[in-house]
């Protein structure tokens, strides 16, 4: 389907509560384990989502609106959460994600974007020209990619426990397309 | 990690609220569209989870405890939701799933399972011998496989909208391992 701002906002506004319902107060055996070397735990993923709220989506939207294609976005640090999540609990990260997302949706609303704005182009440092519409659709789809990843990371912890049902569970066949 | 009953219950008890937070009152453009012919929408997946609560997990646990390997499980109808969800809203399905899951967790608690029970074997009509422990681990991992699937189905709707970011979004590379 075409990108529309109301559809994007409807998804973006639900992700923090969905992750909260899934992850808060789960045993750490589910939330702190990863899929092996250089992979992320659910805890790491929530930290990554927080870093995106701070440095990626709204800041990039502002760059497009202010500079168009004349200024490329800053590259995104995919490992920032290693520093930034240190010493925090998963509950604190979930609270922080919900607060930042809510603030950013407020900022998005305040931009009062029209169709002509959504068609404006910016410049991604690796991908080249992209539109504001594509950036906002990617914000929502990026949430989904990480819900997809979290379900896969957690399922991995029961890979042996399910025994022969392994063959029937799609999530256990997933090769981790978003792994670093 | 090893299967433990508390870890399994901690996940099973969260799935209804997580799906509720993600899906309730979302525009139907997200929840009623699928990934193409013979594939499921998020609405279909919730119907499938309901059918599992009615016919799969607790009924199979009872067969293991009562008959061991002498009686194979009934085969599971993967398309039952086509009939059973007809005329219902997604909100009604989410309510029904939450109610049935809560009842089934009550039944699971009432079974008062000990380690020796978890090691008991039953017979899957296609997979052969399986333990009660494996069945319960599969129940939880089956939730995760469908959260994984729902995130992929919804992301598919924005496949074009994200433009060149398509290449960076893992969920859009996922081949749909659990598709029929």
């Amino acid at each position: 389907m075409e990108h529309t701002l109301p559809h994007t906002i409807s998804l973006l506004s639900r992700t923090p509560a969905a992750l909260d319902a899934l992850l808060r107060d789960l045993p750490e055996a589910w939330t702190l384990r990863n899929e092996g070397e250089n992979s992320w735990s659910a805890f790491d993923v929530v930290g990554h989502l927080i870093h995106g709220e701070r440095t990626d989506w709204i800041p990039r939207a502002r760059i497009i609106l202010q500079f168009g294609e004349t200024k490329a976005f800053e590259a995104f640090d995919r490992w920032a959460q290693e520093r930034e999540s240190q010493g925090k609990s998963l509950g604190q990260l979930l609270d922080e994600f919900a607060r930042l997302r809510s603030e950013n949706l407020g900022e998005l609303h305040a931009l009062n974007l029209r169709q002509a704005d959504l068609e404006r182009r910016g410049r991604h440092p690796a991908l080249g020209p992209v539109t504001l519409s594509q950036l906002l659709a990617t914000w929502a789809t990026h949430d989904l990619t990480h819900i997809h990843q979290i379900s896969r990371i957690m399922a991995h912890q029961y890979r042996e426990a399910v025994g022969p049902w392994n063959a029937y569970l799609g999530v256990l066949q997933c090769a981790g397309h978003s792994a670093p």
Side-chain angles (χ1 to χ4, degrees), chain A residues 43 83 85-89 92:
Chain A
F43 178 88
R83 302 186 303 280
S85 299
Q86 264 184 21
K88 296 181 183 167
S89 69
Q92 287 175 301

Side-chain angles (χ1 to χ4, degrees), chain A residues 36-142:
Chain A
E37 203 179 354
N38 284 326
S39 69
W40 292 357
S41 66
F43 178 88
D44 295 329
V45 174
V46 179
H48 167 77
L49 289 169
I50 288 170
H51 190 67
E53 293 303 304
R54 287 196 199 287
T55 69
D56 193 331
W57 313 106
I58 290 289
R60 286 182 171 188
R62 292 195 184 287
I63 289 172
I64 293 176
L65 292 170
Q66 194 171 354
F67 299 103
E69 292 186 69
T70 65
K71 182 177 172 183
F73 309 143
E74 306 265 333
F76 184 79
D77 180 357
R78 295 188 68 257
W79 294 92
Q81 66 278 1
E82 287 210 345
R83 302 186 303 280
E84 295 174 359
S85 299
Q86 264 184 21
K88 296 181 183 167
S89 69
L90 179 55
Q92 287 175 301
L93 294 187
L94 289 165
D95 289 341
E96 196 172 346
F97 177 48
R99 182 177 57 76
L100 290 168
R101 173 59 58 89
S102 171
E103 288 173 11
N104 282 332
L105 289 175
E107 291 212 37
L108 181 63
H109 183 73
L111 290 175
N112 193 23
L113 298 173
R114 311 298 167 99
Q115 191 55 38
D117 297 317
L118 292 173
E119 290 163 15
R120 291 197 62 179
R121 285 165 178 272
R123 185 155 53 89
H124 186 283
L127 298 171
V130 290
T131 66
L132 180 54
S133 170
Q134 289 167 347
L135 174 72
L136 299 175
T138 300
W139 189 6
T141 312
H142 180 264

Side-chain angles (χ1 to χ4, degrees), chain A residues 18-32 42-43 90-91 94 150-151 153-155 157:
Chain A
L19 290 180
D20 199 280
L22 184 65
L23 300 176
R24 189 177 292 267
D25 298 328
L26 260 192
E28 292 187 345
W30 288 120
T31 58
L32 294 187
F43 178 88
L90 179 55
L94 289 165
I150 285 172
S151 64
I153 297 165
M154 300 207 314
Q157 312 311 322

